[in-house]
Amino acid sequence: MFVECIRPGGVLSKADSNFSGGFRAYLFGVTRNVMLRYESRPMAGQLDREDVVADEATVGEVFDREYARAIMKEASQLQRRIAESQDDAAVRRVELLHARFSDGMPIRAIAELWCVDPGWLHHEYSKARNEFLSALLDVVAASQPSATHAENQATCKELLGMLN
């Protein structure tokens, strides 16, 4: 990947500051394309494709998933910073998402642990998810400054899909 960037006539010489997704998206695309090219090459002494387990992720899929995780982490950190500038209820909603997704706890178990009504907590969970999606949209929009709102929303949906 590095060689592709620095070689004469390489991808950095072709970078366009007006690229719709910004430099991060450009570099992501370059990395993905280089990985796909190397992934499709037959390698001497390597296993045949038939010998590889069918459900094993390709290098490109692994890269996509890790990129999506990095964006989600950035959005989570942004949501926490925003919540901390607001009130305790907003911070608690961030903790709710953490308990739900990082700890894998169901809402009813969190409600029991926190000694709150499960119905009320479901409502707070919905608010927390909307706050996270707003933070995610802000992170994606910052990485794609010339993209439209609809394009940024589509990117968010695609990133979330990479993690399922």
Side-chain angles (χ1 to χ4, degrees):
M1 166 58 194
F2 182 70
V3 172
E4 290 292 326
C5 290
I6 62 168
R7 71 179 172 83
V11 296
L12 285 182
S13 67
K14 298 172 187 163
D16 179 4
S17 62
N18 295 321
F19 184 75
S20 67
F23 184 73
R24 175 190 277 175
Y26 177 76
L27 188 59
F28 171 73
V30 167
T31 304
R32 186 165 192 248
N33 290 340
V34 169
M35 288 177 150
L36 289 172
R37 185 174 35 186
Y38 283 97
E39 198 173 78
S40 65
R41 272 192 190 168
M43 303 288 262
Q46 295 291 326
L47 296 172
D48 290 333
R49 283 210 183 264
E50 292 81 30
D51 295 333
V52 178
V53 178
D55 65 349
E56 188 170 321
T58 65
V59 174
E61 290 169 337
V62 171
F63 180 83
D64 288 348
R65 194 170 35 255
E66 290 307 310
Y67 177 75
R69 282 189 183 125
I71 295 295
M72 296 305 148
K73 182 177 180 181
E74 192 174 338
S76 178
Q77 291 168 344
L78 175 60
Q79 181 187 15
R80 179 168 291 281
R81 285 192 307 274
I82 292 169
E84 288 170 349
S85 73
Q86 292 175 344
D87 56 25
D88 290 340
V91 172
R92 193 72 164 162
R93 286 190 296 274
V94 173
E95 293 167 358
L96 171 59
L97 288 182
H98 182 77
R100 177 70 187 98
F101 291 104
S102 295
D103 299 338
M105 295 177 67
I107 298 297
R108 288 201 174 277
I110 300 167
E112 187 177 317
L113 181 66
W114 291 4
C115 301
V116 297
D117 176 62
W120 174 82
L121 196 60
H122 273 284
H123 177 72
E124 289 297 293
Y125 175 63
S126 177
K127 285 169 65 174
R129 287 182 22 223
N130 288 335
E131 291 165 351
F132 175 79
L133 290 174
S134 177
L136 177 60
L137 188 58
D138 287 349
V139 169
V140 167
S143 72
Q144 303 181 143
S146 59
T148 66
H149 183 71
E151 290 169 332
N152 287 332
Q153 286 179 316
T155 299
C156 289
K157 186 175 181 179
E158 182 181 331
L159 289 168
L160 289 166
M162 289 178 193
L163 297 176
N164 293 332

